[in-house]
Amino acid sequence: MQSRGGYHRTAFHVLTRTAWVSLCAAVLAASGIAWATVSTISTGVERSYAISDDAPRSTSGTNILIMGLTTRLDLHGEPLPDDVLRRMQAGESDRGGYNANTLMLLHIPASGPAVAMSVPRDDLVPLASGGEGKIKEAYGRAKVAEEDRLREAGAHDRRELERAGREAGRRAQVETVSAFLNQPIDHLVEISLIGFFHIAEGLGGVDVCLKNATKDPLSGADFPAGPQHLDAGQALSFVRQRHGLPHGDLDRTRRQQAFLSAVAKRVKGADLAVVQALVDMAKQDVVLDARFDLTEFARELPAEVRFDTLPIEGGATIGGHDVNKVDRDKVRAKVTELATAPPPPPPNDGIPCVD
């Protein structure tokens, strides 16, 4: 399949031994963390009711939607401290909005390896709120609409508007992705930009590898070619960069996957102090659905988790904005294929180099 810029989609395969393949996953239930610790996280993390009790459930395993938000605000809509914003190198608190720039469907089968499927953020799809838009926009549009509705009804408490707006956003994002992929969503995990930063900070940085040297003032990226260790601020620049890369956003998607692989490797050998730091992070940066039982999940997750990226058909410009054209039937067929036959493991356990 051909994407914008002539890029032929190739699977980016990562095989890790960890109990999560998302940022939160690697933090919350990584290999070696005691069940008591997982239970402690379960009682302290923010919960969402965006997935109703009577929502359709997967019959071929478990589907978890992982959402990474662009907002520079905390879980309550409050600005981050100035010193944190400076270290993040991601601009001011009012930047970013509430787009779900990272979307992954983690499918855990009854047996065999799990697979995490990245959904390109600019895919043009029907949105749960009506009309078409980029798939990443479902969250933010629904959040704004709900807050406007509540204000018109007389609500004025800012935190309550933020809470209700985010719940509407989560619900819309789940419904949009579920309809597009034709897959039930059993659970959701949400993490914002500060969560990416805190994970890397708690781990003392992460190891990555780049095929070529790259520099991008918009994200703060300035890296040489080859293997290297990134501190928290650099790691955030690494996962945010899309300008100056051969295939733009699609290369950024593979960087997110490479970051997760690096996090998984670091968590696997982390000591108790590091684990506790990550637990504290999870309680301030992560949202899980109300039915998500982390203890049960950590016991049942397969040892092998692999990554792939769902296909696009090319690019288009609508209203001055670049979007990904997609063939819904081909995307759904790819999801089914990956759920039944995940990509093979890489040839070795080294750090894969990315653009």
Side-chain angles (χ1 to χ4, degrees):
M1 295 183 182
Q2 194 80 8
S3 75
R4 187 159 65 233
Y7 169 68
H8 289 83
R9 190 197 65 80
T10 57
F12 174 76
H13 304 144
V14 182
L15 172 63
T16 66
R17 179 171 181 80
T18 179
W20 286 70
V21 299
S22 70
L23 301 176
C24 336
V27 171
L28 299 180
S31 176
I33 297 180
W35 304 130
T37 302
V38 177
S39 297
T40 299
I41 303 171
S42 291
T43 58
V45 74
E46 185 88 2
R47 293 288 182 165
S48 166
Y49 295 87
I51 301 176
S52 64
D53 290 342
D54 59 354
R57 303 288 166 175
S58 175
T59 58
S60 61
T62 301
N63 288 332
I64 302 169
L65 179 62
I66 299 160
M67 304 183 291
L69 301 183
T70 55
T71 180
R72 276 69 164 168
L73 304 175
D74 67 14
L75 284 179
H76 306 292
E78 300 292 342
L80 300 172
D82 289 342
D83 66 315
V84 174
L85 287 171
R86 282 195 297 270
R87 286 185 288 141
M88 287 172 62
Q89 304 179 72
E92 300 301 318
S93 289
D94 59 356
R95 292 190 59 194
Y98 282 89
N99 286 333
N101 269 8
T102 300
L103 287 169
M104 289 185 182
L105 180 69
L106 170 60
H107 176 72
I108 305 172
S111 62
V115 61
M117 311 171 214
S118 291
V119 184
R121 67 171 191 160
D122 289 336
D123 286 1
L124 184 64
V125 304
L127 300 178
S129 57
E132 283 192 325
K134 296 181 180 182
I135 196 167
K136 69 178 182 181
E137 296 174 338
Y139 193 113
R141 288 194 187 186
K143 179 179 185 294
V144 169
E146 178 65 6
E147 290 174 356
D148 287 346
R149 185 189 70 80
L150 291 173
R151 287 191 187 96
E152 289 178 3
H156 301 291
D157 184 88
R158 189 166 56 84
R159 282 210 170 191
E160 180 58 27
L161 288 169
E162 179 75 10
R163 185 203 64 77
R166 287 200 179 192
E167 278 291 84
R170 292 165 191 138
R171 186 162 49 251
Q173 196 67 64
V174 166
E175 291 174 358
T176 298
V177 174
S178 177
F180 175 53
L181 301 183
N182 195 31
Q183 291 288 321
I185 305 297
D186 301 300
H187 299 294
L188 71 83
V189 177
E190 176 190 298
I191 187 168
S192 55
L193 205 60
I194 184 60
F196 283 75
F197 178 82
H198 279 155
I199 286 171
E201 186 175 54
L203 289 172
V206 295
D207 297 317
V208 301
C209 178
L210 286 171
K211 295 178 182 177
N212 303 291
T214 183
K215 188 171 183 177
D216 169 35
L218 293 175
S219 65
D222 186 1
F223 307 122
Q228 53 204 284
H229 183 78
L230 306 183
D231 64 23
Q234 292 172 321
L236 190 59
S237 295
F238 174 80
V239 298
R240 289 182 58 234
Q241 185 184 2
R242 61 187 174 95
H243 298 284
L245 300 180
H247 311 298
D249 239 23
L250 296 177
D251 282 335
R252 176 160 66 174
T253 294
R254 283 186 292 281
R255 283 184 170 211
Q256 293 167 357
Q257 295 170 345
F259 176 80
L260 297 178
S261 176
V263 167
K265 292 178 190 299
R266 293 281 290 170
V267 170
K268 183 180 176 181
D271 60 27
L272 185 58
V274 170
V275 170
Q276 186 58 56
L278 295 179
V279 168
D280 293 340
M281 178 285 303
K283 291 182 179 181
Q284 63 179 318
D285 297 332
V286 173
V287 179
L288 304 174
D289 67 275
R291 294 169 58 97
F292 207 149
D293 185 332
L294 288 179
T295 305
E296 179 182 354
F297 173 67
R299 287 189 177 120
E300 294 181 352
L301 187 72
E304 296 180 6
V305 181
R306 305 172 188 178
F307 289 91
D308 208 327
T309 303
L310 297 179
I312 66 174
E313 293 295 299
T317 301
I318 298 178
H321 298 283
D322 291 335
V323 299
N324 296 330
K325 294 189 297 185
V326 291
D327 184 316
R328 183 181 60 182
D329 292 336
K330 289 181 179 178
V331 170
R332 291 176 173 182
K334 187 63 180 181
V335 171
T336 300
E337 174 191 331
L338 290 172
T340 54
N348 58 62
D349 196 37
I351 300 173
C353 288
V354 296
D355 286 316

